[in-house]
Amino acid sequence: MSENGKFSNGQHTSVDAIVIGAGFAGLYALHRLRSMGWKVCVLEAAADVGGVWYWNRYPGARCDVESLQYSYSFSSELEQEWEWSEKYASQPEILRYLQHVAQRFELRPDIQFNTRVRAMRFDEQCEHWQVHTEQGEVFDARFCVMATGALSVPRLPEVPGISRFKGPVHHTGHWPHEGVDFTGLRVGVIGTGSSGIQVIPQIAKQALQLNVFQRTPNFSIPARNTPLSHEDQKAFKQAYPAHRARAREVGTLYEFSDKKAFEVSDQDREREYERRWNKGGVNFVHAFTDLMVNKTSNDTVADFVRERIRRVVHDPAVAQALCPKDHPLGTKRICVDIDYFETYNRPNVRLVDLQATPIESVTDDSVWTRDEAFPLDALVCATGYDALTGAVLQIDITGRDGVSLREQWRDGPGTFLGLMTVGFPNMFIITGAGSPSVLVNMVVGVEQHVDWIARCLDDMRRDGLSTIEAEQSAQTRWVTHVNEAADKTLFPLAKSWYLGANVPGKPRVFMPYVSKIGLYRAECDRIAANNYEGFKRAGLGDASTAQSHTPSDMAVRP
Ligand code: N01
């Protein structure tokens, strides 16, 4: 890289692989590919590493996977030396961790920051990708790795007049770096998903008045966050090899049950929910094996949580409005909170139930529902993301025969293994639609994808090949398999972002692959070992070779 922090100095730059994004996925992709001798450059829109953890600086932001697990496993030195301060790490701590990783593995020299990719074109003649940035630079590489994140394109609510609001409007996914002081202000928060549920208790402590505009109530489980002592960590770290090996099979080390909900007595079931509720976290949804596949079983756990909400929230009408009713528990990403429901007992917090009185407009100083005006000084939108496909489709990508990815995915993302899509050779997507992705610990998913890509590139180099691309028949079968896997569960019953339901006009396709990551990993490895069955691989100018692929019989488990 040149002295001004740029690769290209305004000129055309050629490398072996371009990685787009410097979050968990991009950093590991750079480290892994570079260590195999590839010349790699990372293009990152932000001014530093971190991905979502760079942007999501809202108060209360923290991960709902335990910090000792939400971390890289590729370096035993790294996992031993880094000390986490809490069971669930806060955003600043995760960002510091990723900055440390960048420093420790000397990644920054190969990352160009403040560089947003605008377009990508596959040049069929030389079988290279040309990558165009918003600043007009052009990068060129045989391989492209989309490490663009599953939840990285924030969405503002489609509320008439929101642009007229005179006060500040902050999206949780794009929070000001200098922080926001809400002291003495009348604040409105729109959205009660994972981000809203984290930010609301924090703003409530500062604001003069907080109005929470809730369209759909969500299930949330107390985090029971605690500081992590050195001794706690030491014990876990000593067993890291075994923990990581297990995580590669199951994603996150939850306490998995081996019983169905009705295999135990009503009292024992209640006791188990109670025990897990007191322990806290996502572990709660693994109380019984059939909670995600049997609606009657799921009703028992949903009733338990609704009862807890009623116990915590003093005003029965508010408690009732906070009780989720329209989807089974866990079919939208379960939320994990610190004092969320308790916050509604504060005198300065009011729940505005948009199902009773929808937002009609925003004026320069107020949010208007059908029944009332809410004068506000600041507005916070915790209104989510264009998930899984948003970041990839934000880039104007053109593959073989001038086909645009936006056009190809008009009816939903088609991928083979979630890793590649037909007609876009040498373009890999990390934790994209069609892979377990957001349904598992993202770091485990990221490492699995990067390792597979690294092996794939190495095999191509060994075999003297220049292109790899998904084969249509394999992709069609994979998409069918992913849909069937989701249909065996309760997931499709929720209007969730997993399904694209939060973005008007987005095709309703269940995007993540519901599978244990170990089974998915085995399938990816089997395909690679079987001469990349289902992919076409070719040398420059060669006739392509394709292998037929049928998904092996993979058990489905959320
Ligand atoms: O976004 P969401 P998020 N008018 O899409 C509401 C991860 N994450 O940023 O449900 C009114 O879940 C919308 O209402 P409805 C995690 O995977 C993890 O909270 O569409 N309301 C909903 O309440 C998570 O699932 C962590 O009716 C509107 C909310 O906005 C994912 O990111 C922390 C509206 C959006 O919820 C996304 O979470 C944070 C409108 N026009 C995030 N439009 C942790 O690890 C939208 N809404 C803890």
Side-chain angles (χ1 to χ4, degrees):
M1 201 177 342
S2 70
E3 277 173 10
N4 63 1
K6 297 204 164 229
F7 280 95
S8 66
N9 259 335
Q11 289 161 22
H12 196 106
T13 304
S14 255
V15 288
D16 296 317
I18 294 169
V19 175
I20 305 176
F24 265 102
L27 293 180
Y28 181 46
L30 168 60
H31 174 67
R32 187 82 163 81
L33 298 181
R34 201 179 60 178
S35 66
M36 290 162 49
W38 299 96
K39 190 173 178 205
V40 182
C41 85
V42 178
L43 303 177
E44 166 56 59
D48 198 5
V49 300
V52 293
W53 299 107
Y54 174 90
W55 298 107
N56 276 259
R57 293 170 188 243
Y58 61 86
R62 65 177 69 241
C63 186
D64 58 11
V65 177
E66 292 184 21
S67 47
L68 282 158
Q69 298 188 51
Y70 191 78
S71 51
Y72 291 118
S73 72
F74 69 82
S75 158
S76 56
E77 293 82 8
L78 172 67
E79 67 185 6
Q80 292 299 328
E81 78 198 7
W82 183 263
E83 287 276 301
W84 295 100
S85 69
E86 294 177 277
K87 181 175 174 186
Y88 296 104
S90 66
Q91 173 272 333
E93 190 164 22
I94 299 172
L95 185 58
R96 276 199 301 280
Y97 169 74
L98 290 172
Q99 288 167 338
H100 169 74
V101 170
Q103 192 75 17
R104 193 187 193 291
F105 297 98
E106 296 177 9
L107 301 178
R108 280 201 177 83
D110 289 317
I111 306 173
Q112 183 170 306
F113 295 106
N114 302 305
T115 302
R116 187 173 285 282
V117 172
R118 180 182 60 76
M120 291 166 46
R121 307 251 171 286
F122 184 67
D123 180 333
E124 293 190 56
Q125 291 252 287
C126 54
E127 296 180 333
H128 269 214
W129 281 97
Q130 298 212 326
V131 174
H132 301 257
T133 72
E134 280 187 352
Q135 293 94 326
E137 294 160 287
V138 184
F139 293 79
D140 178 285
R142 187 168 297 287
F143 300 102
C144 267
V145 179
M146 310 302 288
T148 39
L151 293 156
S152 50
V153 179
R155 286 196 62 253
L156 284 173
E158 54 295 332
V159 175
I162 194 160
S163 59
R164 294 211 307 269
F165 187 69
K166 291 247 169 58
V169 179
H170 303 293
H171 192 287
T172 44
H174 202 151
W175 201 258
H177 283 203
E178 63 281 12
V180 184
D181 184 2
F182 292 107
T183 309
L185 301 185
R186 299 161 304 171
V187 183
V189 174
I190 303 179
T192 52
S194 296
S195 306
I197 278 172
Q198 288 187 328
V199 80
I200 285 163
Q202 300 302 321
I203 297 178
K205 288 183 204 160
Q206 265 194 355
L208 179 67
Q209 170 66 30
L210 172 62
N211 297 303
V212 177
F213 298 96
Q214 172 194 268
R215 192 163 65 181
T216 313
N218 261 312
F219 290 100
S220 189
I221 312 299
R224 316 281 182 212
N225 188 32
T226 50
L228 272 183
S229 70
H230 179 69
E231 281 63 42
D232 292 337
Q233 298 198 57
K234 204 169 150 195
F236 196 90
K237 285 176 175 180
Q238 273 169 355
Y240 248 142
H243 290 323
R244 298 297 199 188
R246 174 111 180 101
R248 287 188 192 105
E249 290 304 310
V250 300
T252 312
L253 308 182
Y254 296 122
E255 191 190 339
F256 296 105
S257 169
D258 56 2
K259 290 195 175 58
K260 294 181 180 167
F262 288 102
E263 281 176 357
V264 301
S265 68
D266 291 357
Q267 291 85 340
D268 284 350
R269 194 166 52 245
E270 198 72 5
R271 214 171 290 127
E272 181 60 1
Y273 292 149
E274 174 96 34
R275 187 181 71 79
R276 287 184 183 249
W277 181 267
N278 292 335
K279 245 179 135 179
V282 177
N283 199 40
F284 184 76
V285 301
H286 298 283
F288 295 101
T289 54
D290 59 340
L291 295 180
M292 293 305 296
V293 291
N294 180 325
K295 174 72 168 59
T296 314
S297 297
N298 193 288
D299 287 344
T300 64
V301 74
D303 283 345
F304 177 92
V305 174
R306 285 189 281 262
E307 178 51 28
R308 291 289 141 158
I309 296 171
R310 289 188 203 102
R311 279 195 208 174
V312 171
V313 179
H314 299 161
D315 182 328
V318 175
Q320 194 51 24
L322 285 166
C323 284
K325 301 160 204 79
D326 75 324
H327 62 282
L329 182 143
T331 54
K332 286 184 167 186
R333 171 73 185 177
I334 193 98
C335 302
V336 173
D337 72 271
I338 298 177
D339 293 340
Y340 175 63
F341 294 114
E342 289 81 351
T343 297
Y344 292 94
N345 295 331
R346 295 177 65 106
N348 66 332
V349 176
R350 176 168 168 196
L351 181 72
V352 183
D353 179 1
L354 300 182
Q355 285 176 3
T357 175
I359 295 180
E360 295 211 319
S361 65
V362 179
T363 59
D364 58 347
D365 63 356
S366 303
V367 166
W368 284 78
T369 65
R370 195 181 54 205
D371 300 338
E372 198 176 339
F374 293 84
L376 298 172
D377 302 305
L379 195 52
V380 171
C381 296
T383 43
Y385 299 88
D386 184 355
L388 286 141
T389 54
V392 173
L393 292 180
Q394 220 175 32
I395 302 170
D396 178 14
I397 306 178
T398 310
R400 276 202 197 285
D401 303 322
V403 172
S404 121
L405 188 63
R406 288 176 188 157
E407 191 58 31
Q408 181 159 307
W409 282 7
R410 205 172 34 173
D411 298 326
T415 69
F416 182 37
L417 300 175
L419 274 163
M420 299 197 90
T421 185
V422 168
F424 293 78
N426 296 355
M427 185 185 90
F428 299 95
I429 306 166
I430 298 191
T431 60
S435 74
S437 178
V438 289
L439 297 181
V440 297
N441 178 346
M442 287 299 283
V443 188
V444 176
V446 155
E447 287 190 331
Q448 186 259 330
H449 265 185
V450 171
D451 289 343
W452 191 92
I453 293 165
R455 172 186 179 176
C456 172
L457 264 56
D458 214 25
D459 288 348
M460 286 176 69
R461 180 162 57 185
R462 181 199 61 204
D463 298 341
L465 299 174
S466 57
T467 58
I468 177 166
E469 58 192 296
E471 199 218 326
Q472 183 63 62
S473 55
Q475 178 165 305
T476 305
R477 280 192 292 273
W478 184 256
V479 169
T480 305
H481 176 64
V482 169
N483 287 331
E484 285 171 355
D487 288 343
K488 287 179 188 160
T489 71
L490 302 177
F491 276 112
L493 297 184
K495 290 189 212 121
S496 66
W497 56 257
Y498 295 142
L499 207 66
N502 63 327
V503 180
K506 189 164 173 169
R508 300 280 176 104
V509 176
F510 194 84
M511 294 179 282
Y513 173 42
V514 188
S515 162
K516 233 168 129 179
I517 184 117
L519 295 173
Y520 170 77
R521 175 194 307 279
E523 182 70 351
C524 293
D525 290 348
R526 187 189 68 75
I527 285 167
N530 206 12
N531 208 16
Y532 293 87
E533 176 186 333
F535 290 98
K536 272 183 270 188
R537 297 191 311 151
L540 197 58
D542 278 2
S544 55
T545 49
Q547 305 265 331
S548 147
H549 164 266
T550 308
S552 57
D553 188 19
M554 296 164 70
V556 167
R557 174 168 176 181

